[in-house]
Amino acid sequence: RINGQRLWDSLMELAQIGATAKGGVKRLALTDLDKQGRDLVVRWGREAGMSITVDQIGNVFMRREGLNNALPPVMTGSHIDTQPTGGKFDGNYGVLAGLEVVRTLNDLNIRTEAPIEVAFWTNEEGSRFVPVMMGSGVFCGAFTLETAYAARDTEGKSVGEELERIGYKGDQVPGDHPIGAYFETHIEQGPVLEDADKVIGVVPAVMGLSWYDCVVKGMEAHAGPTPMGLRKDALQVATRIMQQVVAIADRYPPYGRGTVGMVQVFPNSRNVIPGEVKFSIDLRNVNDELLNTMHEEMLAYIEQTRKDSGLEISIERVSYYPPCPFHADCVDAVRKATARLGYSTMDVVSGAGHDAIYTARLAPSGMIFVPCKDGISHNEIEDAKAEHLEAGCNVLLHAMLERARI
Amino acid sequence: RINGQRLWDSLMELAQIGATAKGGVKRLALTDLDKQGRDLVVRWGREAGMSITVDQIGNVFMRREGLNNALPPVMTGSHIDTQPTGGKFDGNYGVLAGLEVVRTLNDLNIRTEAPIEVAFWTNEEGSRFVPVMMGSGVFCGAFTLETAYAARDTEGKSVGEELERIGYKGDQVPGDHPIGAYFETHIEQGPVLEDADKVIGVVPAVMGLSWYDCVVKGMEAHAGPTPMGLRKDALQVATRIMQQVVAIADRYPPYGRGTVGMVQVFPNSRNVIPGEVKFSIDLRNVNDELLNTMHEEMLAYIEQTRKDSGLEISIERVSYYPPCPFHADCVDAVRKATARLGYSTMDVVSGAGHDAIYTARLAPSGMIFVPCKDGISHNEIEDAKAEHLEAGCNVLLHAMLERARI
Ligand SMILES: NC(=O)NCCC(=O)O
Ligand SMILES: NC(=O)NCCC(=O)O
């Protein structure tokens, strides 16, 4: 069993770097604070006897040798960058749980057959630089190093420059690094475990995701003198589509998701009928066929609305990640470890993307969820219980040991 | 009959002050450009033999003496400030039509019993400083001079300072200025005349208006991991109210109006369920009882939505202007002048507020509308036909002469 107090203390110490007044953390990717966080975790890794490798996109691998170092490592990890108004646990927990596994193996003098590695991936959050999950995405070849280097923040600073500046542009070619199996512990970022009062979420898969930008064009006109029948009110038409996004998701329980998160109205003046409304659509499902059905239903509704309203409506898909089922071996390892340890458990499909969906393209991968308070993350009030974090870390220890063999 | 070409030429000359690339005008209240515009109109007034009075809120009265100067003047006017992306005609037409009436009387050597005055009111648009219709509002005592002086633009400059700076803080106490009758010519700012192919709109009344701020509070949460049934999506609830605003207006034709023009979503991120949505509501009707019914129906719907959704919804009325019926004598004067001149005509209730609703509190008032292209105003593409502007000015001449007596 791991040392829950030590895990908690490390989480709290790391959370001081970029701590916010409201109890959260602001440690954006490749900032000075990210460098401080990276340096601290690397120091802890070295103190635990691990060797460090950094690749060209700044992914860091901390390695504990095995008895048979020809075997590919059993890896765990996550990210330590945060949202602008982020919490202490998102990502950080996955990295420090890995560190705690190694510290525990050291304490107990356990040698594994395969090496063990703890990784942290660059810019998972995507808040400062798009796309999200950048480090693991480059690692698995989803996009090129050049694309990633060229990404710029709102001040015009590029990933390439910033990596160099903070000293984390390593030598290793991304992906040129074998993985035997990959596990990632993470807070759930949703309310399902808490709602069902379970401690461990076994994650069979991550939902697929489609992101769209939709623009409705009407005609701006004065709110007073323009009779109702002569209006081309872009907002009224847009709100119908916004409601349909949720209606479509509701037709595909339990894993259909539909969200409109971002809305811009032009000219956005109290007494002007909106001439243009731009908004985002986020559709998810764990089943790619159903996700595609949802996509088709949305396009059909928009086509119908275009006809009914006579307004110009454009819709563009801006991102697509297919659903990612995790490898049966890894899912089973997590399930068995949970049973052995006697924790209450249920399967929880991940609604959010994680670095593990990219490692899954290269090696058997799996995830372990623990509850977070009210299901809230990407928020300074994000919170989790020490006992749940400890339980998740114990499951990680046992799952990794099963794969790495003692 | 007035000189249509001279009226048009003056409009085009004034429109050069603050002319925009897209053919519009940006001449915000109390800016250097507003001063230039005011100076030009005052010069034209002087050249037409008028004397100038400026009151403490910067309203300018240009006076042509009558045969009996004990009689209160028959006044016309409007405003020369514009929207940030305004047009050449909104307001400016009303002022220059008045000037053209005086020039015509001079040409024809016509003396009136009562004096004739041409006014332009400060900050009608309310774009730089709120409230709208500031000069006429102070003039009729709707709010105090101190309130108006204290209004500040986004840079922190106050109305009091800016009036002083451009040299238009006059001596006369606002309202200390008799009015016998007031006429205002204006582009319709709506599509009704154009749609019906009529030249002159006789304006029996201005609609009453209620403005509200509505805030729906839900709970922000991650768009992926949060099941549809556990969401408190503020936007989905807000869109129901937004649609109801239009549904309510549709229930009260022909003069019910309902518009949501301004929307802000928090945190406005693609993969975050909106935790808060703030939006404006604009309800109008020419009948105060019906306006009140619309108000009550909206409150009832919000109350019901509060219960159905369990979300917190606040609604606050931020402005209210009662409907303003114009004086029968002035409406008749406009109607008779139109008939005498043989223009095609119809009654058009004004959906937009105008300075005339404030003068109506002090003296018999009336308005004359002419068509504008596609009903569009508050837009750089605002346009109107010279022949229509000429027609409206002829009607103004005849209506004023009826009241001022030759
Ligand atoms: N974990 C996480 O927030 N990933 C970002 C992409 C998503 O919205 O799922
Ligand atoms: N004429 C005009 O645009 N007035 C502003 C107030 C309103 O929205 O009616």
Side-chain angles (χ1 to χ4, degrees), chain A residues 315-345:
Chain A
I315 172 99
E316 187 195 355
R317 173 131 74 170
V318 294
S319 286
Y320 168 68
Y321 295 88
C324 171
F326 285 129
H327 197 284
D329 291 355
C330 288
V331 177
D332 281 352
V334 172
R335 206 185 299 285
K336 275 192 274 177
T338 306
R340 197 178 312 131
L341 290 157
Y343 296 124
S344 64
T345 180

Short mmCIF file of all heavy atoms in Angstrom, two decimals, chain A residues 315-345:
data_model
loop_
_atom_site.label_atom_id
_atom_site.label_comp_id
_atom_site.label_asym_id
_atom_site.label_seq_id
_atom_site.Cartn_x
_atom_site.Cartn_y
_atom_site.Cartn_z
N ILE A 315 -22.11 25.82 -40.74
CA ILE A 315 -21.66 24.94 -39.67
C ILE A 315 -20.35 24.30 -40.14
O ILE A 315 -20.25 23.82 -41.27
CB ILE A 315 -22.72 23.88 -39.32
CG1 ILE A 315 -22.19 22.83 -38.33
CG2 ILE A 315 -23.26 23.17 -40.56
CD1 ILE A 315 -22.62 23.13 -36.92
N GLU A 316 -19.34 24.36 -39.26
CA GLU A 316 -18.03 23.83 -39.63
C GLU A 316 -17.51 22.96 -38.48
O GLU A 316 -17.54 23.39 -37.33
CB GLU A 316 -17.07 25.00 -39.87
CG GLU A 316 -15.74 24.60 -40.41
CD GLU A 316 -14.70 25.73 -40.29
OE1 GLU A 316 -15.07 26.84 -39.86
OE2 GLU A 316 -13.52 25.47 -40.59
N ARG A 317 -17.05 21.76 -38.80
CA ARG A 317 -16.46 20.91 -37.77
C ARG A 317 -15.03 21.37 -37.55
O ARG A 317 -14.24 21.43 -38.48
CB ARG A 317 -16.51 19.45 -38.22
CG ARG A 317 -15.76 18.53 -37.28
CD ARG A 317 -16.57 17.31 -36.88
NE ARG A 317 -16.68 16.34 -37.96
CZ ARG A 317 -17.17 15.10 -37.79
NH1 ARG A 317 -17.58 14.68 -36.60
NH2 ARG A 317 -17.27 14.29 -38.80
N VAL A 318 -14.67 21.69 -36.31
CA VAL A 318 -13.32 22.20 -36.04
C VAL A 318 -12.43 21.18 -35.33
O VAL A 318 -11.21 21.37 -35.30
CB VAL A 318 -13.35 23.54 -35.26
CG1 VAL A 318 -13.97 24.64 -36.11
CG2 VAL A 318 -14.10 23.40 -33.93
N SER A 319 -13.01 20.15 -34.73
CA SER A 319 -12.21 19.09 -34.10
C SER A 319 -13.00 17.79 -34.12
O SER A 319 -14.22 17.81 -34.02
CB SER A 319 -11.91 19.40 -32.62
OG SER A 319 -10.96 20.40 -32.49
N TYR A 320 -12.27 16.70 -34.20
CA TYR A 320 -12.91 15.39 -34.08
C TYR A 320 -11.91 14.40 -33.48
O TYR A 320 -10.80 14.25 -33.98
CB TYR A 320 -13.39 14.87 -35.44
CG TYR A 320 -13.79 13.42 -35.41
CD1 TYR A 320 -14.93 13.01 -34.71
CD2 TYR A 320 -13.02 12.44 -36.04
CE1 TYR A 320 -15.28 11.67 -34.64
CE2 TYR A 320 -13.37 11.10 -35.99
CZ TYR A 320 -14.50 10.72 -35.28
OH TYR A 320 -14.85 9.41 -35.23
N TYR A 321 -12.29 13.78 -32.37
CA TYR A 321 -11.54 12.67 -31.79
C TYR A 321 -12.47 11.46 -31.76
O TYR A 321 -13.55 11.57 -31.17
CB TYR A 321 -11.12 12.98 -30.36
CG TYR A 321 -10.14 14.12 -30.20
CD1 TYR A 321 -10.59 15.42 -30.06
CD2 TYR A 321 -8.77 13.88 -30.17
CE1 TYR A 321 -9.69 16.47 -29.91
CE2 TYR A 321 -7.87 14.92 -30.02
CZ TYR A 321 -8.34 16.22 -29.89
OH TYR A 321 -7.46 17.25 -29.73
N PRO A 322 -12.09 10.36 -32.35
CA PRO A 322 -12.96 9.18 -32.27
C PRO A 322 -12.98 8.65 -30.84
O PRO A 322 -12.06 8.93 -30.06
CB PRO A 322 -12.29 8.18 -33.20
CG PRO A 322 -10.86 8.60 -33.29
CD PRO A 322 -10.83 10.08 -33.07
N PRO A 323 -14.02 7.90 -30.48
CA PRO A 323 -14.04 7.26 -29.16
C PRO A 323 -12.79 6.38 -29.02
O PRO A 323 -12.29 5.85 -30.01
CB PRO A 323 -15.29 6.40 -29.19
CG PRO A 323 -16.16 7.00 -30.24
CD PRO A 323 -15.23 7.56 -31.26
N CYS A 324 -12.29 6.26 -27.80
CA CYS A 324 -11.08 5.48 -27.55
C CYS A 324 -11.36 4.40 -26.51
O CYS A 324 -11.36 4.67 -25.31
CB CYS A 324 -9.97 6.41 -27.07
SG CYS A 324 -8.51 5.56 -26.49
N PRO A 325 -11.62 3.15 -26.96
CA PRO A 325 -11.79 2.07 -26.00
C PRO A 325 -10.40 1.69 -25.47
O PRO A 325 -9.44 1.65 -26.23
CB PRO A 325 -12.36 0.93 -26.85
CG PRO A 325 -12.11 1.30 -28.27
CD PRO A 325 -11.68 2.72 -28.36
N PHE A 326 -10.28 1.48 -24.16
CA PHE A 326 -8.98 1.10 -23.63
C PHE A 326 -8.76 -0.40 -23.78
O PHE A 326 -9.69 -1.18 -24.00
CB PHE A 326 -8.86 1.56 -22.17
CG PHE A 326 -8.62 3.04 -22.04
CD1 PHE A 326 -9.41 3.83 -21.20
CD2 PHE A 326 -7.62 3.67 -22.78
CE1 PHE A 326 -9.19 5.19 -21.09
CE2 PHE A 326 -7.40 5.04 -22.67
CZ PHE A 326 -8.19 5.80 -21.83
N HIS A 327 -7.49 -0.79 -23.68
CA HIS A 327 -7.09 -2.18 -23.92
C HIS A 327 -7.63 -3.08 -22.81
O HIS A 327 -7.52 -2.77 -21.63
CB HIS A 327 -5.56 -2.26 -23.96
CG HIS A 327 -5.06 -3.51 -24.59
ND1 HIS A 327 -5.05 -4.73 -23.95
CD2 HIS A 327 -4.53 -3.74 -25.83
CE1 HIS A 327 -4.54 -5.65 -24.74
NE2 HIS A 327 -4.22 -5.07 -25.91
N ALA A 328 -8.23 -4.22 -23.20
CA ALA A 328 -8.86 -5.13 -22.24
C ALA A 328 -7.89 -5.51 -21.12
O ALA A 328 -8.27 -5.58 -19.95
CB ALA A 328 -9.37 -6.38 -22.95
N ASP A 329 -6.63 -5.73 -21.45
CA ASP A 329 -5.65 -6.13 -20.44
C ASP A 329 -5.49 -5.06 -19.36
O ASP A 329 -5.40 -5.37 -18.17
CB ASP A 329 -4.27 -6.38 -21.08
CG ASP A 329 -4.29 -7.63 -21.96
OD1 ASP A 329 -5.33 -8.33 -21.99
OD2 ASP A 329 -3.27 -7.88 -22.63
N CYS A 330 -5.45 -3.82 -19.79
CA CYS A 330 -5.25 -2.73 -18.83
C CYS A 330 -6.51 -2.51 -18.00
O CYS A 330 -6.45 -2.27 -16.79
CB CYS A 330 -4.86 -1.45 -19.55
SG CYS A 330 -3.17 -1.51 -20.20
N VAL A 331 -7.66 -2.56 -18.68
CA VAL A 331 -8.92 -2.38 -17.96
C VAL A 331 -9.07 -3.49 -16.91
O VAL A 331 -9.42 -3.24 -15.76
CB VAL A 331 -10.12 -2.38 -18.94
CG1 VAL A 331 -11.44 -2.28 -18.18
CG2 VAL A 331 -9.98 -1.24 -19.95
N ASP A 332 -8.73 -4.72 -17.32
CA ASP A 332 -8.81 -5.86 -16.40
C ASP A 332 -7.84 -5.69 -15.23
O ASP A 332 -8.17 -6.03 -14.09
CB ASP A 332 -8.48 -7.17 -17.12
CG ASP A 332 -9.68 -7.66 -17.94
OD1 ASP A 332 -10.77 -7.06 -17.79
OD2 ASP A 332 -9.51 -8.62 -18.71
N ALA A 333 -6.65 -5.22 -15.53
CA ALA A 333 -5.65 -5.03 -14.46
C ALA A 333 -6.19 -4.06 -13.41
O ALA A 333 -6.03 -4.26 -12.20
CB ALA A 333 -4.34 -4.51 -15.05
N VAL A 334 -6.84 -2.99 -13.88
CA VAL A 334 -7.42 -2.01 -12.95
C VAL A 334 -8.58 -2.64 -12.18
O VAL A 334 -8.68 -2.50 -10.95
CB VAL A 334 -7.93 -0.76 -13.71
CG1 VAL A 334 -8.71 0.17 -12.79
CG2 VAL A 334 -6.76 -0.03 -14.36
N ARG A 335 -9.41 -3.39 -12.89
CA ARG A 335 -10.58 -4.01 -12.26
C ARG A 335 -10.12 -5.00 -11.16
O ARG A 335 -10.65 -5.01 -10.05
CB ARG A 335 -11.42 -4.71 -13.32
CG ARG A 335 -12.89 -4.84 -12.96
CD ARG A 335 -13.68 -5.66 -13.99
NE ARG A 335 -13.70 -5.11 -15.33
CZ ARG A 335 -14.43 -4.05 -15.71
NH1 ARG A 335 -15.16 -3.41 -14.83
NH2 ARG A 335 -14.40 -3.64 -16.96
N LYS A 336 -9.13 -5.82 -11.50
CA LYS A 336 -8.67 -6.84 -10.55
C LYS A 336 -8.00 -6.18 -9.33
O LYS A 336 -8.23 -6.61 -8.19
CB LYS A 336 -7.67 -7.79 -11.24
CG LYS A 336 -8.39 -8.93 -11.97
CD LYS A 336 -7.43 -10.04 -12.40
CE LYS A 336 -6.82 -9.68 -13.75
NZ LYS A 336 -5.83 -10.66 -14.23
N ALA A 337 -7.20 -5.16 -9.60
CA ALA A 337 -6.53 -4.48 -8.48
C ALA A 337 -7.56 -3.87 -7.53
O ALA A 337 -7.44 -3.95 -6.30
CB ALA A 337 -5.60 -3.39 -9.02
N THR A 338 -8.61 -3.29 -8.10
CA THR A 338 -9.67 -2.68 -7.28
C THR A 338 -10.36 -3.74 -6.43
O THR A 338 -10.61 -3.54 -5.23
CB THR A 338 -10.70 -1.99 -8.19
OG1 THR A 338 -10.01 -1.07 -9.04
CG2 THR A 338 -11.73 -1.22 -7.37
N ALA A 339 -10.64 -4.88 -7.04
CA ALA A 339 -11.31 -5.98 -6.32
C ALA A 339 -10.42 -6.49 -5.19
O ALA A 339 -10.86 -6.65 -4.05
CB ALA A 339 -11.64 -7.11 -7.30
N ARG A 340 -9.13 -6.68 -5.52
CA ARG A 340 -8.19 -7.18 -4.53
C ARG A 340 -8.13 -6.25 -3.33
O ARG A 340 -8.07 -6.68 -2.18
CB ARG A 340 -6.81 -7.31 -5.19
CG ARG A 340 -5.83 -8.20 -4.41
CD ARG A 340 -4.51 -8.31 -5.17
NE ARG A 340 -4.72 -8.62 -6.58
CZ ARG A 340 -4.12 -7.94 -7.58
NH1 ARG A 340 -3.31 -6.94 -7.34
NH2 ARG A 340 -4.38 -8.29 -8.83
N LEU A 341 -8.16 -4.94 -3.61
CA LEU A 341 -8.04 -3.95 -2.52
C LEU A 341 -9.37 -3.69 -1.82
O LEU A 341 -9.41 -3.03 -0.78
CB LEU A 341 -7.48 -2.64 -3.10
CG LEU A 341 -6.00 -2.72 -3.55
CD1 LEU A 341 -5.68 -1.66 -4.57
CD2 LEU A 341 -5.07 -2.58 -2.34
N GLY A 342 -10.45 -4.19 -2.41
CA GLY A 342 -11.75 -4.09 -1.74
C GLY A 342 -12.44 -2.74 -1.81
O GLY A 342 -13.29 -2.42 -0.99
N TYR A 343 -12.08 -1.92 -2.81
CA TYR A 343 -12.75 -0.62 -2.94
C TYR A 343 -14.09 -0.75 -3.66
O TYR A 343 -14.22 -1.59 -4.57
CB TYR A 343 -11.87 0.36 -3.72
CG TYR A 343 -10.57 0.70 -3.02
CD1 TYR A 343 -9.35 0.49 -3.67
CD2 TYR A 343 -10.55 1.23 -1.73
CE1 TYR A 343 -8.15 0.80 -3.06
CE2 TYR A 343 -9.35 1.54 -1.11
CZ TYR A 343 -8.16 1.33 -1.77
OH TYR A 343 -6.97 1.63 -1.15
N SER A 344 -15.05 0.07 -3.29
CA SER A 344 -16.30 0.12 -4.05
C SER A 344 -15.98 0.69 -5.44
O SER A 344 -15.13 1.57 -5.57
CB SER A 344 -17.33 0.99 -3.34
OG SER A 344 -16.88 2.32 -3.28
N THR A 345 -16.66 0.20 -6.43
CA THR A 345 -16.23 0.55 -7.79
C THR A 345 -17.38 0.48 -8.79
O THR A 345 -18.42 -0.14 -8.54
CB THR A 345 -15.09 -0.39 -8.25
OG1 THR A 345 -14.69 -0.04 -9.57
CG2 THR A 345 -15.55 -1.85 -8.25
#
